[in-house]
Amino acid sequence: CGNVGQLVSRQSMWQKVLSKVKKAVVFMDDRCAESLHWSGGAASLLEAGARNVKQFSSFESGSVNEPKAVFVVSTLLKGTTVDILKDIISLSHFQYCVVFTTVAHSIHLYANNVTTEMEGNPVFEQFEEKLCEWMGNMNYTAEVIHAPVVFAPVSQQLLLTPPFAHLFPLLSPDLETVNAKRPEKKKFGSLIDLDFHSLSVELQIQIKSLASALNAMFEATSTKEESFAVGPMSRIIAGELTNHPQAKNRRKTAPNKASIIFVDRTMDLTGAVGHHGDNLVEKILTVLKPLPGHITDVQVDMLELTSLQRTPNSETTLAPGCLAQTQSPPARSLWETMLTSKHKEGVLEVRRQLVEAASKEKLPIKMSMGRVTPEQLCSYIQLFRSSWGALESHCGVIQLGLATAQTLGHPSLPRWDSCLAFERLLLQALGDSSFPAVLRHLLPLMNAREGEDSSGSRKREDECGPDELILLLIYLYSLADEAQPADQDTEEKELKKLERELIGALTLVITREKELSPLLQKLTGCTYPKELTTERAHSAVEDMFKTLRGLSHTRDHLKQLHSVYTASDGVHQATYCPFLRQIIEEAFHPDRRECPDIEYMSGGLTDLLKTGFSMFMKVNRPHPSDNTLLFLFLVGGVTPSELRLIKETVATHKPGTQVLVLSTRLLRPTDIPELLFATQRLSPDIGV
């Protein structure tokens, strides 16, 4: 596992790019910039000799004395991407251009409807000629190269794929959209019946690109993988990886072996929107603003380290800090602890590292035990202001310390605990009541918000706002099947009536907001409250409920792992049982029993024949626990607390196994409503 982690981390995936940037001005799109941000950042480009780093945008260009350009993009060389390249080159004076795309040549052929295997890279070669045309001289130099720089090594245990951050398993409304375009006899009965070719071309290209990036990673580490899948989207991705043209040769000769289990996020939405995680990083990601252009990292206010006064403009005066501290070993180890430990352990480690850094620099630190407070952390951090050298040596740990202090002291943090308390209450109620009876608990929360004074200020810091109410709705609907059964017709009528009330109440709550949160802006398509009409809010909330209704059916096709809930037995309270824990317990069961829900996907025809013969002879099918290295790929995102859960569960059931988690993004609870209600899952933006 070490070699896979090291390969993708630091700069090896970027080596191809770094070898070309000497004396060049580098233009890079947001997704590739985010991947680089966690792999050494812009510093690695400058150290490799780059003159400047700019955003990949039509508003940028090179100056007269910059003859060489390197472009790094995460998209196909088609459509918008081509327009931007042409704009930049036409405004500049380049004589040498190198374009790196994370999308393989085979996928460029597929996107151009070429199905035959072709010698060389004709699409890239034609594009090189175009680049020379735009530079204005066919004798100038142009290169187009594939570089799979899609992985962001966020920690030793976690690799994210920023270009696929909006890839999310399909839901029941998506199935209706697919079926609407098909003749009556060919309609699909459920999501599990969808095949690759029934998806939109954009989604096909995105899935092929992801399979190709995974293949490149396995190729670079000489690994033969056995793929398993849980969930409809995971099956399609694993199938594409299995059928990847280069993968077949690699699997014949690769000396290293690994298992990879793909799991759809929709198998467990309860865990993704819940507040039971007890993790410091989950809270930091929730309360601090995102770093512009980034999906994972956040802005850390650095004002404490200066003598500037806090004014309305001070935010724009000072560049923010961030969580990606890839250069300093102490900061890296602190980040690992914050990411994969309990909240309290994370906070104590922040204090310990700050004290250690201050002592090393002989700063006059006053030790204090007991609870860690934001004021105490800030007082330690301010000591570093007196010494520029100390500030420079420890700036990684200081930024993580500031992020922690700003989160602990954030006015919206008390809402986290309110949500947690309410979720616990709802969990208990599910075991005793019908679903409408439990759902009714949310009405008073909404009506309490409506009854506020006209100034619109929240009465209490810990009161649930519209974002939290939406999270609670997802939490409950994802568990709807766990409620006590009632008479079906009566329940259906009661539910419809209650939903109308909830839609009305939530619409009113949203239209009364004095400021729209980023989530509400995405859901309603409005930036400011004055643009938001009641009709617009009402229709957004109605659409939301159409999606909510299908959430309790995402596990319907599973034979064994169909619940994430354990009811109270009179002694113990009802609890949420994370789906990932169940998957790992099945995968590493000492009896090596087969779980029908963890489907083996790497088998070709020979495996089918073997399975046919198994009536007459004993055939051992591959099992996830056969290999000492396990990749878990969570399609649709993973939460920080799930990283701890994975680490602990594997250590309990099969110590010695190395687990590397791959995912499309690191989740904060409010990401889920955006992915459910405000994302074009069937037609992703692939830059064309």
Side-chain angles (χ1 to χ4, degrees):
C1 173
N3 65 348
V4 178
Q6 281 154 14
L7 169 101
V8 187
S9 66
R10 304 287 57 79
Q11 290 152 10
S12 41
M13 279 280 183
W14 280 89
Q15 221 44 59
K16 237 187 211 179
V17 177
L18 295 175
S19 69
K20 292 280 184 186
V21 300
K22 197 169 183 181
K23 294 188 175 169
V25 52
V26 181
F27 297 88
M28 195 177 291
D29 71 14
D30 284 354
R31 299 292 75 93
C32 289
E34 181 157 10
S35 154
L36 179 66
H37 178 71
W38 293 93
S39 313
S44 54
L45 292 173
L46 299 170
E47 280 159 22
R51 283 190 176 180
N52 202 347
V53 185
K54 296 184 174 188
Q55 189 172 19
F56 181 68
S57 149
S58 294
F59 301 103
E60 293 286 2
S61 62
S63 59
V64 183
N65 60 350
E66 290 173 325
K68 181 181 173 187
V70 171
F71 300 90
V72 189
V73 295
S74 59
T75 46
L76 281 166
L77 302 178
K78 285 186 81 162
T80 318
T81 305
V82 176
D83 297 340
I84 296 172
L85 273 165
K86 189 179 177 183
D87 289 343
I88 296 173
I89 294 170
S90 308
L91 290 168
S92 309
H93 302 78
F94 302 136
Q95 296 169 22
Y96 180 9
C97 278
V98 186
V99 175
F100 285 100
T101 168
T102 64
V103 183
H105 185 264
S106 58
I107 297 165
H108 280 81
L109 288 176
Y110 185 81
N112 290 309
N113 300 319
V114 179
T115 46
T116 48
E117 285 290 307
M118 296 185 88
E119 285 295 302
N121 294 331
V123 181
F124 288 178
E125 285 157 19
Q126 282 172 2
F127 202 77
E128 287 170 357
E129 287 181 16
K130 261 190 190 162
L131 293 169
C132 289
E133 253 172 63
W134 298 334
M135 286 190 279
N137 186 331
M138 296 313 281
N139 295 322
Y140 286 166
T141 312
E143 293 176 82
V144 176
I145 304 167
H146 166 234
V149 288
V150 301
F151 296 103
V154 168
S155 81
Q156 284 172 343
Q157 186 200 354
L158 175 67
L159 291 176
L160 297 182
T161 55
F164 305 99
H166 291 94
L167 178 66
F168 198 75
L170 301 178
L171 297 157
S172 43
D174 303 316
L175 180 66
E176 287 169 26
T177 308
V178 170
N179 277 337
K181 295 175 185 163
R182 296 176 73 83
E184 201 52 50
K185 284 183 178 164
K186 292 193 172 171
K187 291 194 188 305
F188 294 105
S190 72
L191 287 166
I192 201 79
D193 303 326
L194 290 177
D195 57 20
F196 179 76
H197 295 287
S198 62
L199 307 175
S200 67
V201 175
E202 297 96 328
L203 188 51
Q204 288 183 24
I205 286 170
Q206 203 172 30
I207 289 170
K208 275 190 177 293
S209 304
L210 177 57
S212 154
L214 290 168
N215 179 65
M217 178 181 78
F218 289 133
E219 210 154 78
T221 51
S222 309
T223 302
K224 174 192 177 181
E225 85 290 357
E226 301 277 3
S227 295
F228 302 84
V230 188
M233 182 65 93
S234 287
R235 285 181 67 192
I236 292 174
I237 296 169
E240 276 307 300
L241 177 61
T242 300
N243 298 325
H244 191 281
Q246 278 114 38
K248 290 168 186 165
N249 296 334
R250 165 175 56 77
R251 282 197 286 267
K252 280 178 196 153
T253 56
N256 305 316
K257 285 187 171 178
S259 303
I260 179 166
I261 307 177
F262 292 89
V263 182
D264 280 6
R265 178 73 260 177
T266 43
M267 296 299 101
D268 182 359
L269 291 168
T270 319
V273 292
H275 292 73
H276 46 254
D278 191 22
N279 176 278
L280 173 58
V281 172
E282 262 172 36
K283 294 170 188 172
I284 292 175
L285 296 179
T286 298
V287 303
L288 299 188
K289 286 181 188 160
L291 204 55
H294 287 249
I295 287 158
T296 305
D297 211 342
V298 294
Q299 301 181 48
V300 179
D301 186 340
M302 307 289 276
L303 206 69
E304 295 286 345
L305 298 174
T306 69
S307 45
L308 289 173
Q309 292 301 306
R310 189 171 295 282
T311 65
N313 301 326
S314 56
E315 263 184 38
T316 51
T317 315
L318 195 62
C322 63
L323 301 173
Q325 300 303 328
T326 54
Q327 305 302 328
S328 121
R332 284 222 303 274
S333 94
L334 173 57
W335 168 246
E336 294 283 339
T337 306
M338 290 164 68
L339 188 62
T340 58
S341 305
K342 292 190 168 181
H343 174 92
K344 189 178 176 185
E345 291 160 21
V347 171
L348 286 171
E349 184 61 12
V350 170
R351 176 167 73 183
R352 194 189 69 72
Q353 289 247 24
L354 282 171
V355 169
E356 200 171 286
S359 312
K360 249 187 208 156
E361 298 294 338
K362 303 198 170 34
L363 297 169
I365 194 149
K366 289 192 185 71
M367 269 302 293
S368 57
M369 302 310 286
R371 237 179 94 242
V372 179
T373 64
E375 295 75 24
Q376 181 194 67
L377 294 178
C378 282
S379 71
Y380 292 165
I381 289 163
Q382 283 165 357
L383 294 172
F384 290 86
R385 288 205 299 215
S386 58
S387 157
W388 184 246
L391 203 54
E392 204 171 1
S393 307
H394 304 284
C395 80
V397 169
I398 290 169
Q399 284 174 71
L400 294 173
L402 279 168
T404 304
Q406 284 156 27
T407 300
L408 296 179
H410 200 278
S412 69
L413 193 64
R415 273 182 262 160
W416 186 281
D417 293 331
S418 303
C419 285
L420 177 59
F422 212 78
E423 285 157 11
R424 283 184 179 152
L425 179 95
L426 296 171
L427 266 188
Q428 305 316 315
L430 279 167
D432 311 321
S433 324
S434 68
F435 180 62
V438 183
L439 194 56
R440 192 165 284 285
H441 284 292
L442 293 182
L443 260 181
L445 281 186
M446 294 186 187
N447 295 335
R449 300 257 325 135
E450 286 173 37
E452 284 174 11
D453 59 2
S454 56
S455 72
S457 61
R458 293 204 179 135
K459 290 198 189 89
R460 301 206 320 273
E461 290 289 7
D462 60 355
E463 198 160 75
C464 290
D467 288 18
E468 289 78 22
L469 293 169
I470 291 167
L471 292 175
L472 288 169
L473 279 167
I474 298 169
Y475 187 85
L476 255 189
Y477 271 89
S478 71
L479 292 167
D481 278 6
E482 310 295 350
Q484 292 305 301
D487 172 59
Q488 215 167 352
D489 289 348
T490 328
E491 182 166 317
E492 191 54 36
K493 274 184 199 152
E494 195 185 338
L495 186 58
K496 282 203 165 125
K497 180 174 174 287
L498 176 58
E499 283 183 343
R500 281 199 299 274
E501 285 182 61
L502 287 164
I503 289 170
L506 187 55
T507 302
L508 205 57
V509 167
I510 291 171
T511 49
R512 291 202 167 174
E513 283 295 284
K514 290 282 174 273
E515 210 176 305
L516 298 180
S517 68
L519 172 62
L520 290 182
Q521 292 178 26
K522 285 173 188 138
L523 291 183
T524 60
C526 299
T527 312
Y528 302 105
K530 59 174 184 289
E531 304 167 54
L532 181 58
T533 59
T534 306
E535 293 74 29
R536 204 157 171 180
H538 194 268
S539 111
V541 175
E542 270 189 328
D543 288 346
M544 200 169 89
F545 271 81
K546 280 179 199 152
T547 304
L548 283 170
R549 283 181 204 120
L551 297 187
S552 60
H553 300 298
T554 53
R555 289 185 297 273
D556 282 2
H557 65 282
L558 299 180
K559 297 174 181 72
Q560 188 182 328
L561 310 173
H562 34 67
S563 174
V564 291
Y565 177 79
T566 306
S568 163
D569 58 4
V571 181
H572 306 97
Q573 288 195 316
T575 50
Y576 153 70
C577 316
F579 190 77
L580 280 176
R581 182 187 294 146
Q582 298 179 50
I583 289 281
I584 293 168
E585 285 171 352
E586 282 303 319
F588 293 133
H589 197 277
D591 302 342
R592 199 180 174 277
R593 62 186 184 197
E594 272 198 29
C595 172
D597 299 330
I598 303 176
E599 202 174 337
Y600 176 58
M601 298 297 296
S602 290
L605 187 61
T606 44
D607 287 278
L608 282 173
L609 293 172
K610 274 184 202 165
T611 316
F613 290 132
S614 65
M615 292 158 69
F616 313 107
M617 52 194 264
K618 191 166 174 7
V619 173
N620 263 350
R621 297 201 60 166
H623 195 270
S625 63
D626 291 348
N627 302 305
T628 52
L629 171 57
L630 170 70
F631 290 90
L632 263 179
F633 193 114
L634 300 162
V635 182
V638 64
T639 68
S641 52
E642 285 171 338
L643 295 174
R644 181 177 83 241
L645 176 107
I646 292 164
K647 197 165 93 174
E648 288 173 355
T649 314
V650 172
T652 308
H653 290 271
K654 199 167 182 198
T657 302
Q658 298 227 269
V659 179
L660 199 63
V661 180
L662 294 108
S663 190
T664 46
R665 66 200 285 164
L666 186 60
L667 290 169
R668 36 177 86 67
T670 47
D671 287 343
I672 291 292
E674 182 195 332
L675 291 161
L676 293 180
F677 313 128
T679 299
Q680 297 291 324
R681 288 178 296 273
L682 269 177
S683 47
D685 175 11
I686 55 169
V688 171

